Amino acid sequence: MKLSQDPSIPKKAEGLLRDLKLMLLLTGKRIIALVLMVLIGVYLTILIANMGGRVDELRLVQIRSEISEAVRGDLSFRELDSAERNQLIQRRVDLEVQRLNLDRPFLLRSFSYLYRAMRLDLGRAEQMHSDKGSREVHAIILERLPATLLLFGTANLLIFFLSVYIALWLSRHYGSFMDRIVIVLAPTSAAPAWFYGIFLILCFAFLLPILPAGGMVQAPPPENNWNYTLSVLKHMALPVLAMLLSQIFISIYSWRTFFLIHSSEDYVEMARAKGLPSRMIERRYILRPTLAPVITSFMLMLISMWSGAIILERTFSWPGLGTLIFQAIGHHDTPVIIGSVVIFAYLLAFSILVLDIVYGIVDPRVRIGASR
């Protein structure tokens, strides 16, 4: 007796395999596009940070000056006459120039910088160092990266979930007093986070001194882990609140509009006519099809917040990558500037890639459109 096999099973397997191939293909294309974007951005940063090679000319002058002072201050070389001392200085300068590849044209060196930067071979800082004394750029950046991820990760998650929850609630109470308040406050999101940060520092750190004006933890840091965590949370309050104020009202207004548009669709009215629970209708028939534009809006917001990290972190003296770039610009430390921008570019590209993948998961129309 032979068991009959469902003929639809092989077709389903073929369909899943085809969708998987298409997803891998689209992901590969997206990764290539993001890599090209990062390459262009990093190379432009190299050109700007070096001012077309003028910074390297200043480095040559600095190298000669430092070596000259070291040779003239060395007692063992005082017996040399002026010509011999100048020859010694020149030999040392030539060795240092060859070590730093400053004897090559800037165009070739710029591509060498780009290759090393993309491999995260960031070299040594010229002026700055980590808290542990290391001059390696990757050590300096890794010391600051967790602070930036902690601050912006917390703020973005709060903005996303609070905005979705409040926007869904307002879509059920269209025209209410709270709905009109959100409409009035939506234009306030035109101001950047650091703008609100200045007023928050003035109000809650000086007029009402209940929160710290800046920094990440009190000095000296608490030895107890629980007290240390509480201190970090206390220092995070104002910058997170500044980012919330700068983004949450426009997010609520935009996403509430998306929910209102989808709540008037025919299939939603049909679900209501069938007597389905309101929570199920919101979750399956309003929230799920609206996630695609919501995620797109959130991605644009995320990009704008990453780009404003330098001013925001500097406003609150938050020891992250934004503050590091500001300090590196002040010290004219080109390796640190380039390394920080590379990390920011990778973070931005990774965020876009993750959101694109999530976009394809929550919106089946992306995969259907790709297969046509």
Side-chain angles (χ1 to χ4, degrees), residues 113-153:
Y113 295 154
L114 178 63
Y115 174 72
R116 290 169 54 193
M118 296 303 295
R119 292 177 56 245
L120 296 180
D121 181 13
L122 305 176
R124 292 173 59 86
E126 297 174 356
Q127 305 291 336
M128 304 178 67
H129 56 79
S130 66
D131 292 339
K132 296 181 180 180
S134 175
R135 298 291 293 271
E136 297 293 332
V137 174
H138 68 84
I140 299 173
I141 292 176
L142 287 177
E143 195 175 66
R144 303 292 188 96
L145 181 60
T148 295
L149 294 179
L150 174 64
L151 179 62
F152 283 85

Side-chain angles (χ1 to χ4, degrees), residues 315-328:
T315 301
F316 290 98
S317 300
W318 187 263
L321 286 181
T323 301
L324 179 64
I325 292 178
F326 186 89
Q327 294 171 345

Side-chain angles (χ1 to χ4, degrees), residues 345-365:
Y346 275 119
L347 287 174
L348 181 60
F350 180 75
S351 302
I352 295 174
L353 179 62
V354 170
L355 290 174
D356 278 347
I357 294 174
V358 174
Y359 194 100
I361 293 173
V362 301
D363 191 354
R365 293 172 297 178

Side-chain angles (χ1 to χ4, degrees), residues 38 43-44 57 112 144 151 185 196 222 263 281 289 293 318 321 340 372:
V38 172
Y43 188 71
L44 289 176
E57 295 176 2
S112 176
R144 303 292 188 96
L151 179 62
L185 292 177
Y196 289 104
S263 63
I281 293 174
W318 187 263
L321 286 181
S340 302
R372 290 180 180 178

Side-chain angles (χ1 to χ4, degrees), residues 206-315:
F206 294 102
L207 297 180
L208 298 173
I210 58 177
L211 290 172
M216 183 176 174
V217 69
Q218 69 185 50
E223 297 181 359
N224 183 272
N225 291 334
W226 176 250
N227 293 334
Y228 187 92
T229 303
L230 289 178
S231 179
V232 172
L233 292 176
K234 191 175 181 180
H235 284 75
M236 284 178 59
L238 289 184
V240 169
L241 182 58
M243 284 187 276
L244 281 172
L245 291 175
S246 70
Q247 294 293 337
I248 194 166
F249 293 115
I250 190 63
S251 299
I252 293 173
Y253 176 74
S254 302
W255 300 352
R256 158 254 193 204
T257 304
F258 295 151
F259 296 146
L260 284 174
I261 293 173
H262 281 76
S263 63
S264 61
E265 295 289 343
D266 294 338
Y267 59 84
V268 177
E269 298 295 336
M270 180 66 68
R272 288 172 180 159
K274 289 181 179 180
L276 295 178
S278 59
R279 296 292 183 183
M280 181 182 295
I281 293 174
E282 282 186 354
R283 186 174 65 255
R284 292 186 179 180
Y285 299 99
I286 297 178
L287 179 59
R288 187 172 181 180
T290 317
L291 277 179
V294 166
I295 290 174
T296 302
S297 175
F298 179 70
M299 180 177 68
L300 296 175
M301 179 189 70
L302 188 65
I303 293 172
S304 65
M305 293 186 72
W306 276 122
S307 62
I310 299 176
I311 303 178
L312 178 70
E313 289 189 356
R314 188 59 182 171
T315 301

Side-chain angles (χ1 to χ4, degrees), residues 13-28:
E14 291 178 1
L16 290 174
L17 184 60
R18 184 173 61 253
D19 289 344
L20 180 60
K21 290 181 179 179
L22 286 173
M23 182 179 296
L24 292 176
L25 179 62
L26 292 175
T27 303

